[in-house]
Amino acid sequence: MSHPLVLVRDLKKHFPVRRGFFRSSAWVRAVDGVSFTIRAGETLGLVGESGCGKTTTGRCLLRLIEPTSGEIRFQGVDLLRLSKRELRMMRRHMQIIFQDPYASLNPRMTVGDIIEEPLRIHRVGTAAERRARVREVLEEVGLPADALKRYPHEFSGGQRQRIGIARALALRPRFIVADEPVSALDVSIQAQIVNLLQDVQERYHLTYLFISHNLAIVRHIATRIGVMYLGKLVEIAPTDRLYRHPLHPYTQALLQAVPEPDPDARRQRLPLYGELPSPLHPPSGCRFHTRCPFALAECREAEPELSEVEPEHFVACFLVTPMKKAQTTPPGESV
């Protein structure tokens, strides 16, 4: 069996709802029992509507947010059992690219200091070696050497995101969480940043968790795609198979909502009923049944498990028949 680089089992993150000075008994179930794996060198895309728990999942993986429960393993190490010192050492190999290039860079620091900061924190090399590494990584992300002494406000949005990517690459990590890294950028710049991410992935043999709501971009960059709805994974499959043969009604609706570049093209859209339920009071049974046009009585009462229906294709839906063989490996883990 080949072991995945990242393994997540039954990950949960529930946020307490506070009213005044007292804590209420209500909880927002932002992530509620998510399991998946990511193999070394691949890109797992995580998609879904705003508020489905994508970003919370990514931040829990790095323990930027402490999970409520579950298991997170990186290179076989259980991250939730690490002390603060051990976690800091592990973070040399795990980095994040934030969504907003305007808010994620310290406006009081020069670009050189921003990129050098993780090297200083982890005490990597001498001052001269750190500066040489900063110049090297600036060149790799397509920024001029004179950017070292300039401040973030002097750059465009796309250039600021390149600075954020350079900061993430400075320590030569193995795993990067890319949290909607192009959603705040102009459409003309998005393709450049995605191509840059693919280039540095090949150069550094990186593994990505790529979080996005842009299905066209995810299709271009992801090896496999996981679809989230209201804190749950409802489908996960290799990219080509998911786009060619989506099985969950929610995945079908998402793909049918992607704009068609041909103005004369006509296609049937799957109707979704009602509004997105609140994660504070999620529906019983299948969380999608309140909007699903094919919902059965069973969907209202029982929660479907994420089961393998085709090789490496997992779906949580009573309308889809699981494979006959017993499923013993987590989604994405090869045997």
Side-chain angles (χ1 to χ4, degrees), residues 161-213:
Q161 196 58 290
R162 289 175 185 268
I163 296 169
I165 294 171
R167 177 178 57 187
L169 293 175
L171 287 168
R172 295 183 173 90
R174 293 199 64 193
F175 175 59
I176 290 180
V177 174
D179 182 13
E180 304 217 29
V182 298
S183 63
L185 306 178
D186 293 339
V187 175
S188 59
I189 305 300
Q190 290 181 0
Q192 297 177 23
I193 298 300
V194 169
N195 290 337
L196 172 62
L197 289 172
Q198 290 181 309
D199 290 342
V200 296
Q201 181 178 33
E202 184 176 350
R203 184 178 303 126
Y204 286 97
H205 307 290
L206 291 170
T207 302
Y208 288 145
L209 175 66
F210 190 92
I211 299 168
S212 181
H213 62 268

Side-chain angles (χ1 to χ4, degrees), residues 49-316:
E49 292 172 284
S50 295
C52 71
K54 306 185 300 295
T55 292
T56 302
T57 299
R59 297 193 176 199
C60 282
L61 258 62
L62 304 182
R63 279 186 63 183
L64 298 179
I65 299 175
E66 288 295 332
T68 302
S69 64
E71 180 181 3
I72 304 170
R73 290 186 175 273
F74 176 72
Q75 300 183 131
V77 178
D78 188 347
L79 298 183
L80 301 186
R81 294 182 179 273
L82 298 182
S83 66
K84 289 185 177 180
R85 180 176 176 274
E86 292 169 332
L87 182 61
R88 173 177 285 194
M89 294 176 62
M90 185 63 73
R91 282 197 173 132
R92 290 188 59 170
H93 310 291
M94 309 163 65
Q95 294 293 308
I96 185 169
I97 300 169
F98 294 99
Q99 175 179 358
D100 188 354
Y102 295 87
S104 62
L105 303 177
N106 189 333
R108 297 174 179 268
M109 296 175 67
T110 65
V111 169
D113 289 337
I114 288 171
I115 299 174
E116 187 182 351
E117 186 177 30
L119 298 170
R120 290 198 304 268
I121 289 173
H122 291 278
R123 300 176 182 177
V124 176
T126 63
E129 290 170 339
R130 290 195 295 267
R131 281 293 173 175
R133 175 58 183 157
V134 171
R135 288 191 292 270
E136 178 186 0
V137 77
L138 269 179
E139 182 180 352
E140 289 175 346
V141 300
L143 290 174
D146 64 2
L148 280 171
K149 300 184 181 300
R150 296 161 63 187
Y151 289 86
H153 73 269
E154 301 179 59
F155 297 88
S156 67
Q159 289 173 321
R160 291 185 195 189
Q161 196 58 290
R162 289 175 185 268
I163 296 169
I165 294 171
R167 177 178 57 187
L169 293 175
L171 287 168
R172 295 183 173 90
R174 293 199 64 193
F175 175 59
I176 290 180
V177 174
D179 182 13
E180 304 217 29
V182 298
S183 63
L185 306 178
D186 293 339
V187 175
S188 59
I189 305 300
Q190 290 181 0
Q192 297 177 23
I193 298 300
V194 169
N195 290 337
L196 172 62
L197 289 172
Q198 290 181 309
D199 290 342
V200 296
Q201 181 178 33
E202 184 176 350
R203 184 178 303 126
Y204 286 97
H205 307 290
L206 291 170
T207 302
Y208 288 145
L209 175 66
F210 190 92
I211 299 168
S212 181
H213 62 268
N214 190 321
L215 292 166
I217 288 178
V218 172
R219 184 176 191 176
H220 180 70
I221 194 172
T223 313
R224 290 184 299 127
I225 296 177
V227 181
M228 285 191 73
Y229 181 81
L230 212 61
K232 292 278 189 179
L233 264 176
V234 298
E235 187 164 4
I236 183 167
T239 301
D240 290 342
R241 185 179 301 163
L242 188 83
Y243 277 82
R244 186 176 63 253
H245 187 45
L247 296 177
H248 197 282
Y250 178 62
T251 308
Q252 295 171 7
L254 280 182
L255 294 179
Q256 290 172 9
V258 175
E260 175 62 54
D262 183 358
D264 296 324
R266 295 289 183 267
R267 61 182 175 184
Q268 188 176 8
R269 293 185 183 274
L270 184 69
L272 294 184
Y273 304 103
E275 298 294 329
L276 182 69
S278 168
L280 186 61
H281 302 291
S284 60
C286 174
R287 297 192 175 184
F288 186 60
H289 84 261
T290 58
R291 303 173 71 194
C292 180
F294 311 116
L296 308 171
E298 185 180 11
C299 302
R300 298 174 175 84
E301 300 169 358
E303 186 174 317
E305 295 184 358
L306 194 66
S307 303
E308 190 174 27
V309 297
E310 298 172 351
E312 295 193 350
H313 194 160
F314 296 79
V315 184

